Amino acid sequence: MKTNALHRAAALSAIAVATGAVTPAASGSAWTRPDGDLLILVPTSYTYADESFDSSGDRVDRTDEFTMVEFSPLIEYGVTDSFTLGMQPKYRKVWIESAEGMTDSNSGLAESDFFARQRLWGRNEASLALQVGAKVPISPDEDANVALGRDQYDGEIKLAYGNRHTLGNGRIFYSGEAGYTKRWEVPADEAFFNAFIGWAPGGSSWSFILRSANTVSVGNDDDNDEEVLTTFPDYKRYAAQLMTSYRFSNSVSLVGGVSTTYAGENVGIGQTGFVALSVPYTF
């Protein structure tokens, strides 16, 4: 039972951040993969935005309607019990519809995240981990009428704590992480804090997760004010996700969920739905 819950909680926490339409940070949680364990998550998300939060945090109509479908498979491999490597390429299809009814679109492999996660401390099922990563542009088409991303490299570092234990007739699992994204070109650096709490009822194949994702830019001296994927170079975004998972077997789970941007500045109000399949392998 503990092994099943471990796989389920780790897969769910990874899927929670695998939907790049909600959080641009590299994926991961407080737990590392077991030695020789390969986790493959296959998420697809749909995002729509016809409103934005302006520079004062007020809700306003967008001049252009934004729609995006993203396919972003996540791969994590346990090099040792305490050290995990991973990557997440992101394929995007984006539509921009003007107020006059004209629609432009673009699609392609925009970028990929690469990361390494080291467990610093663990006791029972509690874990504290440090993760470092980089976003590598592939073909973001930043200067196109419909950009798929920004043509630049970003670095990230974050610290995450997570735990899971029996509560009543089920299991509860939760995690919090704080980090910093270093940007070497136009957009401002970012600080972020994300947290989730999940519940797996005893004797059930279902699990439920509520997650909060919060990103705040920490200064931008560049005069460039171009919007890319509904965000300006200096922005704030506060989003909430609600997910449910069904475990078909001891390893395979299907996850579905919704998210919304409920507050922010200089950012689109994205409404996102997503579905993901998790499949771990042990070698």
Side-chain angles (χ1 to χ4, degrees):
M1 181 65 180
K2 282 190 175 182
T3 300
N4 295 346
L6 185 150
H7 280 292
R8 184 167 60 247
L12 280 168
S13 61
I15 290 173
V17 289
T19 53
V22 179
T23 57
S27 304
S29 67
W31 293 281
T32 53
R33 305 303 306 170
D35 184 10
D37 187 88
L38 178 70
L39 175 67
I40 300 177
L41 302 175
V42 189
T44 301
S45 63
Y46 173 87
T47 300
Y48 176 77
D50 62 355
E51 293 182 305
S52 293
F53 291 111
D54 63 16
S55 58
S56 299
D58 295 325
R59 184 184 292 258
V60 297
D61 290 333
R62 291 177 57 85
T63 56
D64 298 324
E65 293 184 4
F66 172 88
T67 304
M68 179 174 72
V69 174
E70 180 177 272
F71 176 68
S72 50
L74 171 68
I75 301 172
E76 292 189 355
Y77 178 71
V79 180
T80 68
D81 284 340
S82 62
F83 183 66
T84 294
L85 293 176
M87 65 177 294
Q88 186 182 23
K90 298 176 182 178
Y91 180 89
R92 293 167 177 153
K93 173 75 173 181
V94 180
W95 296 265
I96 300 292
E97 182 178 350
S98 68
E100 291 75 26
M102 302 296 293
T103 301
D104 285 333
S105 65
N106 195 4
S107 63
L109 188 58
E111 62 191 46
S112 184
D113 293 327
F114 298 89
F115 58 89
R117 185 183 313 133
Q118 175 66 54
R119 186 174 67 233
L120 304 177
W121 171 87
R123 179 180 297 172
N124 298 325
E125 295 194 51
S127 178
L128 178 69
L130 178 71
Q131 180 170 303
V132 295
K135 187 215 79 175
V136 177
I138 298 176
S139 183
D141 292 344
E142 182 176 356
D143 296 328
N145 290 336
V146 180
L148 300 176
R150 293 193 182 274
D151 187 17
Q152 64 178 68
Y153 292 83
D154 299 336
E156 180 189 278
I157 184 170
K158 66 180 177 182
L159 190 66
Y161 171 81
N163 201 354
R164 45 191 177 238
H165 51 77
T166 300
L167 183 66
N169 66 343
R171 292 179 63 80
I172 187 172
F173 45 97
Y174 48 89
S175 178
E177 61 183 23
Y180 190 87
T181 301
K182 174 62 181 176
R183 301 187 182 276
W184 281 280
E185 295 186 31
V186 171
D189 292 356
E190 296 172 2
F192 59 88
F193 176 77
N194 307 319
F196 74 81
I197 184 168
W199 168 251
S204 172
S205 296
W206 291 94
S207 299
F208 306 92
I209 278 189
L210 179 63
R211 182 174 186 267
S212 173
N214 310 282
T215 302
V216 178
S217 296
V218 294
N220 178 47
D221 296 327
D222 199 287
D223 292 332
N224 189 315
D225 61 354
E226 292 295 324
E227 181 189 54
V228 173
L229 298 180
T230 78
T231 64
F232 285 88
D234 196 341
Y235 73 96
K236 298 178 181 178
R237 175 164 52 197
Y238 306 97
Q241 294 176 322
L242 179 64
M243 292 160 283
T244 184
S245 167
Y246 184 81
R247 180 170 53 86
F248 291 100
S249 66
N250 292 344
S251 57
V252 179
S253 296
L254 182 67
V255 179
V258 294
S259 70
T260 183
T261 302
Y262 61 85
E265 295 177 7
N266 293 325
V267 66
I269 302 176
Q271 314 293 337
T272 300
F274 58 91
V275 63
L277 184 71
S278 71
V279 184
Y281 298 91
T282 301
F283 296 93

